[in-house]
Amino acid sequence: MRVLALETSCDETSAAVVRREGNVATLEGMTILSQDVHRIFGGVVPELASRAHLATVGRVVDHTLERAGVTLGEIDGIAVTQGPGLLGALLVGVTWAKTLAWREGLPLIGVHHLEGHLFAPVLEDPKVEPPFTALLVSGGHTMLLDVPAWGDYRLIGQTRDDAAGEAFDKVGSLLDLPYPAGAAIEKLAREGDPARFTFPRPLLKGVAEADRWNFSFSGLKTAVLRAVQKSDDVARDRADLARGFQDAAIAVLVAKTADAARAHGRDLVVLGGGVACNGALAAAMRTALEGDARVAVATPKLNTDNAGMIGAAGSWRLLAGERHGPELEARDTLPLPGLHAPTGATA
Ligand code: KG4
Ligand code: ZN
């Protein structure tokens, strides 16, 4: 089946054509239009995001079909991000998708944004299949999941405060980097001295069993703030501060994910979400799991927000026979379908 997918949950207007045969999902064409307007505000302005989506969504869809070399007549279903995200922004994609599905008489599926992130690596590697352990790290979420099957997501850990991407962005603003700052921090950290700043690794040592797989990043962010305040030359120390912060964040993400994968006996670890673009994170994860588990990460354009991942997840749900009707509603908060309460380790 061939699916047209839309993603408008935040500040990227994206459409994609994904073809799925069984477990193999192939990206036939994709457009990601990033909204530059937010840069001057240092964060995404929801109302501006909605307006920009509305102004461009039609053209983004047309351009994507052209790029894929298909017509609407060759599309078998429509997938769209239902939530979570900015309500006004989501509303543009959902309304567009519902209208198109109704006009063309096509089945419609609303997709959870995080399930999209989980499916992203499938587009490049059909061998990415459950069971696996997943680390989802985006601007809004940090979740550690055990995934015995697609659609069966066991929450084994999450952040108690800031999301991992949020921590990168907040540290970025302390270091005067433009929003979002994750990629800039990674670049700066490469030039930084790892020995100059050693920041805390929150919830890593001597934690209660209940927090074994949970994360906390707000204390780390405060430690960086203190170091910035103490520095007599932040411009000189920037790369070292970025390195110290990134090393601490990665150390915690890697240690907990590797421990969870081993405890659940999984030999595949999937990284998803914008922070999974971080090459140092993927490299450290591979080193930590060497001999025990393979680490699957999509290329950066499929890890940050994009419609390809929504098409990969949506086509799986459509093939399983799921459908949404015209009552499908955009939701700013939305539980991940199939998410179970935390369960204990099996080892
Ligand atoms: O998944 P995503 O595109 O949007 C959300 O669903 O939130 O993730 C965006 C987050 C931002 O916080 C951004 O700073 C972070 O991903 N990010 C990175 C890198 N590239 C993007 N964080 C660390 N290293 C990177 N290379
Ligand atoms: Zn995302």
Side-chain angles (χ1 to χ4, degrees):
M1 77 157 18
R2 189 182 269 123
V3 165
L4 172 67
L6 275 172
E7 150 68 41
T8 65
S9 68
C10 192
D11 58 343
E12 253 95 34
T13 315
S14 182
V17 174
V18 173
R19 188 191 175 98
R20 178 181 278 278
E21 267 153 50
N23 288 334
V24 183
T26 315
L27 189 61
E28 294 190 323
M30 179 161 80
T31 313
I32 305 172
L33 195 64
S34 295
Q35 303 174 354
D36 261 355
V37 59
H38 308 288
R39 281 190 171 264
I40 53 173
F41 297 99
V44 178
V45 184
E47 184 55 25
L48 293 181
S50 317
R51 289 187 207 183
H53 286 308
L54 200 55
T56 55
V57 63
R59 192 63 202 114
V60 165
V61 167
D62 291 347
H63 182 66
T64 305
L65 290 168
E66 274 163 36
R67 270 189 155 177
V70 298
T71 61
L72 264 179
E74 292 167 285
I75 297 291
D76 306 305
I78 311 273
V80 63
T81 307
Q82 181 190 5
L86 303 171
L87 188 58
L90 289 161
L91 206 54
V92 176
V94 168
T95 307
W96 198 272
K98 283 202 289 194
T99 310
L100 207 57
W102 170 75
R103 195 187 75 186
E104 301 294 318
L106 290 170
L108 170 74
I109 190 79
V111 174
H112 192 285
H113 182 80
L114 288 181
E115 187 170 52
H117 277 305
L118 214 48
F119 267 84
V122 169
L123 290 167
E124 292 169 323
D125 181 355
K127 289 202 278 302
V128 173
E129 271 192 75
F132 56 74
T133 297
L135 175 68
L136 282 178
V137 269
S138 70
H141 293 86
T142 302
M143 281 175 149
L144 200 46
L145 300 171
D146 184 54
V147 182
W150 289 122
D152 182 356
Y153 307 123
R154 306 195 174 164
L155 182 68
I156 50 181
Q158 60 189 324
T159 184
R160 292 165 56 117
D161 39 60
D162 293 349
E166 196 178 350
F168 271 87
D169 295 335
K170 285 181 174 169
V171 166
S173 92
L174 295 176
L175 300 181
D176 266 336
L177 297 169
Y179 174 92
I185 289 192
E186 179 180 8
K187 195 160 165 250
L188 258 183
R190 262 184 236 130
E191 300 151 23
D193 176 356
R196 272 210 61 212
F197 296 96
T198 305
F199 292 121
R201 271 87 168 133
L203 298 184
L204 200 54
K205 295 232 167 84
V207 288
E209 187 59 21
D211 278 326
R212 178 173 171 190
W213 293 313
N214 283 336
F215 302 93
S216 165
F217 292 104
S218 79
L220 172 57
K221 172 198 66 193
T222 308
V224 178
L225 170 66
R226 297 261 149 74
V228 168
Q229 285 167 340
K230 264 209 236 156
S231 165
D232 54 7
D233 188 348
V234 177
R236 179 201 64 208
D237 291 343
R238 241 159 57 125
D240 300 337
L241 287 160
R243 178 61 182 259
F245 161 74
Q246 184 176 275
D247 283 357
I250 288 179
V252 180
L253 292 168
V254 167
K256 297 206 176 220
T257 308
D259 178 42
R262 290 196 179 102
H264 291 81
R266 302 303 186 205
D267 60 5
L268 176 64
V269 167
V270 169
L271 307 184
V275 182
C277 295
N278 191 293
L281 170 65
M285 195 71 80
R286 289 200 167 103
T287 305
L289 284 160
E290 211 176 336
D292 287 340
R294 181 167 83 88
V295 178
V297 198
T299 47
K301 84 164 183 207
L302 291 171
N303 267 328
T304 47
D305 294 348
N306 69 89
M309 66 186 197
I310 301 303
S315 57
W316 175 76
R317 289 201 172 266
L318 282 171
L319 262 191
E322 275 182 54
R323 304 281 186 271
H324 281 126
E327 72 286 350
L328 180 74
E329 268 181 16
R331 301 277 295 275
D332 52 354
T333 59
L334 184 70
L336 181 63
L339 188 71
H340 299 245
T343 53
T346 52

